[in-house]
Amino acid sequence: MNDCTYVIFGATGNLSRVKLMPALYHLEAAGKLTAQTRILAIGRRPWNDEKRLSEVREWVSAKARGGLDETIFQRFASRLSYFRGDLTDSEMYHRLKEHLDNRSDLPDNIAFYMAIRPAEFGVVAEHLSHADLLDEGHGWKRVVIEKPFGYDLESAQGLQKRIGRYLREDQLYRIDHYLGKGTVQNVLVFRFANTMMEPLWNRNYIDHIQITHSETLGVGSRADFYDGAGAMRDMIQSHLLQLLTLVTMEPPVSMEAEVLRDEKVKVLKSIRPIPPSAVHAHAFRAQYTEGSVDGEKVPGYLQEDKVPPDSVTETYAALKLYIDNWRWRDVPIYLRTGKRMAESQSMVSICFRHPPQQFFRDTQVERMKQNWVLLGIQPSECLKVEMTVKEPGLEMRTRPTSLDASLRRTHEAATDAYEELLLDVIQGDRSLFLRYDEVEYAWRVVDPVLRIWSTERDFIPGYTAGTWGPEESRRLFEKAEHHWRHSMSPEDT
């Protein structure tokens, strides 16, 4: 393990408060940080040591598993220091360089974490370069940036061009915290460590695939960002397309980062382009209206704070895609995400084809139900294989049952995705981070849809908060018997 100085830009902001500081504390608790690793928080607020420690203590206490351990916190706090500065001030970066050079306790290996607005990525990269903070004469220099990487294909290309002037691709760590979830990684393990599934994992046996991410929450305090993004950009372009690549990719020759990402890019390149004339046959959007969630009345999207009254930003998006390669030709893949829905969950649902012959046509079994493989990402981390069995009794009746496997034993604590990703940056493991061509080809998939939607400003369908979204989205399905899979329960199909 390398010694490292974690420099966090935007260290007083929401991401640092909710994710980064708690994750680093948990790495401390797990003994994963070397003795010399340090954390340098950068922000504009005039914090002294007392204020810094009280704030960080409050952040960590709110998230610490099993409560805050004072001994561990004191060890963690000894790593932490604060540097006041304004990101837009070029002189600040020269002061930062001097600070890093003059403090012998700060390791030369530096990870710069940009917990800042995407619009500032290019500005900060330029200032870091001009102050020689990216010079690798002494130790490596890595830069971590959060999504979104661009607003559309053109802006992503522009951002890459600007950042590429100052950073090599191997120095950039584009973080997608969704990929850090252990259950998402279990998709790879399930596929490639179990030989019984691989022969069935193709168009000959699989009818269609669904990938769903639903939330009961509304936009909350993110309205400023969300109204300019929408569900397609916020979830489908990044998280769900990444899940799609893991579910459908070819077996890599190894789990090395570049080999793994090569296979993911092959999938994205193989996705059938959606022509403008076919957007409405492949995509559907809607916006939540007032309703009830968990027994409480909630406002509609247009009634949320800071949302323009004439907004047509989608809070629900569904997309139908095809992968034009040998394995998946003509298998429809449905992606769906929405806010203010009936439940909060992420799941991958693999529906298998009907048996080629109806063996039970002269019995009370009119038609066999299709088999499903269900991968629960959150909140339940589990795997279910749904099958048909005969009911007890003299008559030939069947019912669905499932073979269930929890992916985490009761005594095994859940970890936050950021813990693994922050550690991977120190170790130089880029397998769970996005390479630029992954980002670009993901934008190419959704860009035709976003372009058409941007011209349709007069109307957007609604769905009642607390439901499973608009019924009209079923028009995306290729077959009349297809339906959205809402639950991992065998009865709810």
Side-chain angles (χ1 to χ4, degrees), residues 204-472:
N204 296 321
Y205 297 97
I206 292 178
D207 182 67
H208 71 278
I209 298 171
Q210 297 181 28
I211 302 175
T212 292
H213 175 86
S214 60
E215 301 177 28
T216 57
L217 296 174
V219 292
S221 61
R222 297 178 71 222
D224 281 346
F225 161 77
Y226 196 88
D227 198 66
M232 182 69 79
R233 290 183 177 91
D234 190 39
M235 283 300 304
I236 290 183
Q237 185 274 337
S238 53
H239 303 327
L240 298 195
L241 279 177
Q242 283 295 314
L243 255 182
L244 179 149
T245 62
L246 297 178
V247 170
T248 60
M249 64 190 278
E250 292 299 317
V253 296
S254 74
M255 289 300 288
E256 292 179 9
E258 295 311 307
V259 174
L260 189 64
R261 296 193 291 184
D262 285 344
E263 294 301 336
K264 289 162 66 182
V265 170
K266 286 179 187 177
V267 172
L268 293 170
K269 285 182 175 181
S270 300
I271 292 176
R272 186 183 304 171
I274 301 174
S277 60
V279 162
H280 293 298
H282 284 261
F284 189 88
R285 64 174 176 168
Q287 190 181 87
Y288 65 80
T289 58
E290 61 181 331
S292 179
V293 176
D294 295 329
E296 291 187 15
K297 286 191 174 181
V298 296
Y301 179 71
L302 296 181
Q303 287 75 53
E304 299 278 14
D305 188 33
K306 297 185 179 179
V307 173
D310 59 347
S311 172
V312 290
T313 296
E314 78 283 358
T315 62
Y316 174 99
L319 188 65
K320 175 174 62 179
L321 298 173
Y322 291 93
I323 299 172
D324 285 338
N325 62 17
W326 184 274
R327 184 184 291 264
W328 298 111
R329 178 80 180 185
D330 292 332
V331 175
I333 301 173
Y334 305 103
L335 311 181
R336 172 181 59 153
T337 186
K339 290 189 172 295
R340 287 290 191 219
M341 294 182 67
E343 293 179 25
S344 291
Q345 65 178 9
S346 294
M347 60 186 290
V348 178
S349 309
I350 316 286
C351 182
F352 285 79
R353 293 184 180 276
H354 282 290
Q357 186 172 341
Q358 185 55 272
F359 294 105
F360 303 99
R361 55 181 173 270
D362 296 326
T363 71
Q364 290 172 303
V365 180
E366 294 182 3
R367 184 165 186 177
M368 301 294 292
K369 289 197 176 231
Q370 289 166 279
N371 301 137
W372 292 77
V373 168
L374 307 170
L375 286 157
I377 308 297
Q378 64 181 38
S380 57
E381 302 175 7
C382 60
L383 165 68
K384 297 194 176 190
V385 180
E386 197 169 282
M387 310 175 76
T388 300
V389 297
K390 180 185 176 298
E391 287 185 355
L394 300 176
E395 297 175 334
M396 177 56 81
R397 296 183 185 275
T398 62
R399 65 184 177 204
T401 190
S402 64
L403 307 176
D404 301 352
S406 173
L407 301 180
R408 184 160 48 88
R409 293 171 181 166
T410 53
H411 68 279
E412 294 174 330
T415 58
D416 185 83
Y418 277 91
E419 295 169 38
E420 179 164 2
L421 294 172
L422 288 170
L423 205 56
D424 285 348
V425 173
I426 299 175
Q427 295 171 334
D429 183 351
R430 303 172 70 230
S431 57
L432 296 179
F433 296 84
L434 306 185
R435 202 167 63 191
Y436 172 66
D437 50 356
E438 288 182 75
V439 175
E440 176 168 335
Y441 280 100
W443 277 120
R444 289 183 184 277
V445 172
V446 303
D447 220 45
V449 176
L450 294 172
R451 286 178 182 274
I452 293 296
W453 284 358
S454 69
T455 65
E456 298 173 339
R457 310 292 303 171
D458 297 330
F459 172 74
I460 184 171
Y463 63 98
T464 305
T467 66
W468 278 110
E471 280 294 317
E472 304 98 297

Side-chain angles (χ1 to χ4, degrees), residues 81-105:
S81 57
Y82 184 73
F83 185 90
R84 188 182 178 191
D86 187 332
L87 297 181
T88 61
D89 177 14
S90 60
E91 189 56 37
M92 185 273 286
Y93 296 86
H94 294 282
R95 289 193 296 108
L96 176 61
K97 176 74 161 60
E98 186 177 347
H99 181 80
L100 291 167
D101 288 344
N102 290 342
R103 278 190 52 178
S104 59
D105 64 321

Side-chain angles (χ1 to χ4, degrees), residues 49-261:
D49 286 347
E50 183 181 355
K51 177 65 173 175
R52 165 179 58 83
L53 284 177
S54 67
E55 289 286 336
V56 174
R57 180 187 295 276
E58 182 180 333
W59 300 348
V60 171
S61 296
K63 296 288 185 177
R65 294 190 289 271
L68 185 73
D69 184 302
E70 189 60 34
T71 302
I72 295 172
F73 181 76
Q74 289 302 324
R75 282 205 317 266
F76 174 67
S78 69
R79 301 180 184 275
L80 185 63
S81 57
Y82 184 73
F83 185 90
R84 188 182 178 191
D86 187 332
L87 297 181
T88 61
D89 177 14
S90 60
E91 189 56 37
M92 185 273 286
Y93 296 86
H94 294 282
R95 289 193 296 108
L96 176 61
K97 176 74 161 60
E98 186 177 347
H99 181 80
L100 291 167
D101 288 344
N102 290 342
R103 278 190 52 178
S104 59
D105 64 321
L106 297 179
D108 291 332
N109 296 325
I110 302 176
F112 296 100
Y113 199 113
M114 296 196 191
I116 55 180
R117 295 185 300 116
E120 297 170 322
F121 293 163
V123 175
V124 174
E126 181 177 352
H127 285 318
L128 287 173
S129 177
H130 290 166
D132 294 328
L133 282 162
L134 299 177
D135 180 17
E136 294 192 308
H138 298 283
W140 48 253
K141 305 297 183 289
R142 296 167 184 162
V143 174
V144 186
I145 58 178
E146 286 272 341
K147 81 172 187 74
F149 194 85
Y151 179 80
D152 53 17
L153 177 60
E154 185 177 357
S155 62
Q157 290 170 331
L159 179 57
Q160 174 63 19
K161 186 175 181 181
R162 181 172 188 184
I163 290 180
R165 295 175 190 156
Y166 313 109
L167 288 159
R168 302 187 311 272
E169 180 64 25
D170 65 292
Q171 290 179 286
L172 267 173
Y173 287 69
R174 299 177 190 84
I175 200 167
D176 184 341
H177 66 269
Y178 210 74
L179 295 183
K181 295 182 184 297
T183 322
V184 171
Q185 297 169 56
N186 245 308
V187 174
L188 290 176
V189 176
F190 171 68
R191 284 202 55 201
F192 303 130
N194 298 293
T195 56
M196 65 180 180
M197 278 297 170
E198 183 58 26
L200 308 179
W201 215 254
N202 56 60
R203 58 190 166 84
N204 296 321
Y205 297 97
I206 292 178
D207 182 67
H208 71 278
I209 298 171
Q210 297 181 28
I211 302 175
T212 292
H213 175 86
S214 60
E215 301 177 28
T216 57
L217 296 174
V219 292
S221 61
R222 297 178 71 222
D224 281 346
F225 161 77
Y226 196 88
D227 198 66
M232 182 69 79
R233 290 183 177 91
D234 190 39
M235 283 300 304
I236 290 183
Q237 185 274 337
S238 53
H239 303 327
L240 298 195
L241 279 177
Q242 283 295 314
L243 255 182
L244 179 149
T245 62
L246 297 178
V247 170
T248 60
M249 64 190 278
E250 292 299 317
V253 296
S254 74
M255 289 300 288
E256 292 179 9
E258 295 311 307
V259 174
L260 189 64
R261 296 193 291 184

